[in-house]
Amino acid sequence: MIDYTEKIPNNVDLGRDRGLQRALEHWQPAYMGWWYDMGPNESHNYEVYLRTAISVEADGWAQFDYVKMPEYRWGIFLQPRDEKREVNFGMHKGQPAWQEVPGEYRSTLRRVIVTQGDTEPASVEQQRLLGSSCPSMYDLRNIFQVNVEEGRHLWAMVYLLHRYFGRDGREEAEALLARRSGDADNPRILGAFNEPTPDWLAFYMFTFFTDRDGKFQLCALAESGFDPLARTCRFMLTEEAHHMFVGETGVTRIIKRTCEVMKEHKLEDPAQVRALGVIDLQTIQRYLNFHYSVTLDLYGSDVSSNAANYFTSGLKGRFRETKLEDDHLLSEAEYPVYEVIGDKIVKKNVPALTALNERLRDDYIEEIADGVARWQRVIDEAGIPFKLTLPHKGFHRAIGNFAGHHIGIHGEVLTAEAWKKHEHEWLPSAEDQTFVQSLMTGRVVEPGKFANWIAPPLRGINSKPLDFEYVRFN
Ligand SMILES: [Fe+2]
Ligand SMILES: [Fe+2]
């Protein structure tokens, strides 16, 4: 169970380590300062119907109650330790999992933890203004739930930094509160986390695409030979599932509403669809293209010696590593990557060890494709002849083998001029964004009411009705 009588709720027996407890209690006010500055705008007095973890067991996860977000019980929760756990891949395979950081991997591991940790506050910053244009009280509650849990994910990484990395770790923990998404001088570490999330379509796309990158990174780190990292990530994954649910169902509901209106009025022309106050499917496709492509970049270079080193050292595994049937060393295996040669995209086999970023990206793409197929079903069921497509993975990429090339939506290698001609067919234009935002000028907060551009969800949170008062504004 989690001890909530402590100033910092935890299941790691924090009270036994006075030095660590003091260090974290010192960081806590700085974190609160960050939350007041960069957390959801004007929300500090709201009482929000939130879930809080009460134990890390699968069945005892959540307790729902009204909470003022600054009073949310952020804390440190690790999956319980399995005494028999081993390092399951790489050169240390078969050794007992490490309970302390191996000296030779200290800086690498710190870098991995900081890079993951940096994404957590970043997304809160990206989303901080969206409360003022929410489509319903239900959705407002959901974004707040995502925000407090991203805050907790930051806590999860900061615990590891403080507990295992001494002074360097404490400095990194401070720096995590100092960087700002999109800041010119001190931006967040990864590109997608410096992009604005200016409207709710972008928010749902972000939680579908980019939180799912979070899932895959956490899955890879949950395989780590460094056991505290693995256990931390396992618990974070249970929270991540809700974020992706919010994204997937959010987009589903937008598509559903658009299709309803198209059917009712028997029209397909995007301008006419827009005139009825819903988002045309073409614009949804362009948002999809954008979020998908910037998220693919988060996996890094297709061929990467860093990725190989992380694996060989036992720090970062593959997706579902222990379920895979091979030597878990990748000494002989090969893996296909793609390269642009002239005006062609050419497949090339490389040592699998060096292609681990690409492999994780491919695992991710598979799951994304399933989600997009579920969105398509909504369109098909409405009988509307429109196909959502997942762009070619080289489309609009800034990192890896496709960077610097102009790859079209179907994988055609284009000249800069040809790309320019299609750019706004494929990616949201300023005008698209202005339109989407024009639908979201105020918030809809009457219980049970939903903005015109989105369908209600199938059910409420924690079996509450749709007209439940999910947020009390005070
Ligand atoms: Fe997260
Ligand atoms: Fe998340």
Side-chain angles (χ1 to χ4, degrees), residues 19-40:
L20 173 63
Q21 193 178 25
R22 261 198 308 276
L24 283 165
E25 284 179 5
H26 183 77
W27 185 80
Q28 192 174 33
Y31 171 80
M32 288 312 300
W34 168 80
W35 180 268
Y36 275 106
D37 287 350
M38 298 312 295

Side-chain angles (χ1 to χ4, degrees), residues 120 123 146 150 153 207 211 214 239-240 243-244:
E120 315 290 357
S123 65
V146 171
E150 299 303 4
H153 289 180
T207 39
D211 281 73
E239 294 166 316
E240 210 61 77
H243 309 175
M244 293 180 293

Side-chain angles (χ1 to χ4, degrees), residues 48 50 127 130-131 133-147 200-201 203-204 207 242 245-251 253-254 444-446 448-451 453-457 459-461 466 468 470-471 473:
V48 188
L50 293 177
Q127 295 161 14
L130 291 174
S133 58
C134 65
S136 76
M137 205 177 232
Y138 164 91
D139 290 280
L140 185 62
R141 177 260 166 222
N142 281 352
I143 194 173
F144 289 160
Q145 183 74 60
V146 171
N147 293 157
W200 281 77
L201 179 56
F203 167 68
Y204 297 128
T207 39
H242 177 66
F245 162 84
V246 169
E248 176 162 343
T249 54
V251 175
R253 290 160 52 210
I254 293 178
V444 177
V445 287
E446 201 182 300
K449 226 187 135 203
F450 290 82
W453 51 266
I454 190 165
R459 56 192 73 84
I461 290 295
L466 291 188
F468 182 73
Y470 289 104
V471 181
F473 292 101

Side-chain angles (χ1 to χ4, degrees), residues 173-227:
E174 306 270 317
L176 284 167
L177 295 174
R179 285 186 287 272
R180 289 287 180 269
S181 176
D183 191 278
D185 301 321
N186 196 13
R188 292 294 170 185
I189 295 169
L190 299 171
F193 293 89
N194 289 303
E195 297 284 347
T197 309
D199 57 65
W200 281 77
L201 179 56
F203 167 68
Y204 297 128
M205 290 289 181
F206 184 96
T207 39
F208 178 79
F209 286 104
T210 311
D211 281 73
R212 194 178 309 275
D213 160 68
K215 170 189 163 171
F216 278 79
Q217 300 299 341
L218 291 175
C219 281
L221 296 176
E223 303 288 347
S224 183
F226 179 48
D227 200 43

Side-chain angles (χ1 to χ4, degrees), residues 301-443:
S301 299
D302 316 38
V303 174
S304 160
S305 56
N306 273 343
N309 287 335
Y310 292 169
F311 183 84
T312 303
S313 317
L315 303 179
K316 186 177 177 185
R318 288 169 293 173
F319 184 54
R320 300 194 174 133
E321 180 70 46
T322 49
K323 308 249 156 64
L324 299 171
E325 287 184 21
D326 59 17
D327 63 358
H328 302 278
L329 300 170
L330 298 177
S331 33
E332 306 290 326
E334 294 194 323
Y335 196 83
V337 299
Y338 293 85
E339 270 181 352
V340 183
I341 296 175
D343 61 355
K344 290 212 163 48
I345 294 176
V346 180
K347 183 166 139 181
K348 175 178 146 190
N349 280 341
V350 297
L353 202 49
T354 63
L356 287 167
N357 287 342
E358 184 68 358
R359 177 172 182 147
L360 194 60
R361 184 163 29 233
D362 287 341
D363 289 332
Y364 166 84
I365 290 173
E366 215 181 294
E367 209 178 273
I368 286 290
D370 291 344
V372 173
R374 287 190 290 275
W375 289 339
Q376 181 64 44
R377 228 172 290 150
V378 179
I379 303 173
D380 294 344
E381 277 163 18
I384 291 168
F386 184 91
K387 283 270 167 267
L388 280 176
T389 48
L390 212 47
H392 185 274
K393 74 175 162 183
F395 170 77
H396 189 232
R397 291 285 303 282
I399 289 176
N401 289 350
F402 294 109
H405 297 281
H406 300 283
I407 310 295
I409 204 97
H410 302 297
E412 56 279 40
V413 182
L414 301 172
T415 61
E417 299 79 66
W419 163 266
K420 263 263 155 274
K421 247 194 256 159
H422 290 287
E423 190 177 355
H424 291 312
E425 224 171 276
W426 292 336
L427 289 171
S429 63
E431 193 228 313
D432 289 335
Q433 294 194 354
T434 307
F435 166 70
V436 171
Q437 285 158 36
S438 76
L439 300 177
M440 305 174 188
T441 48
R443 60 184 195 183

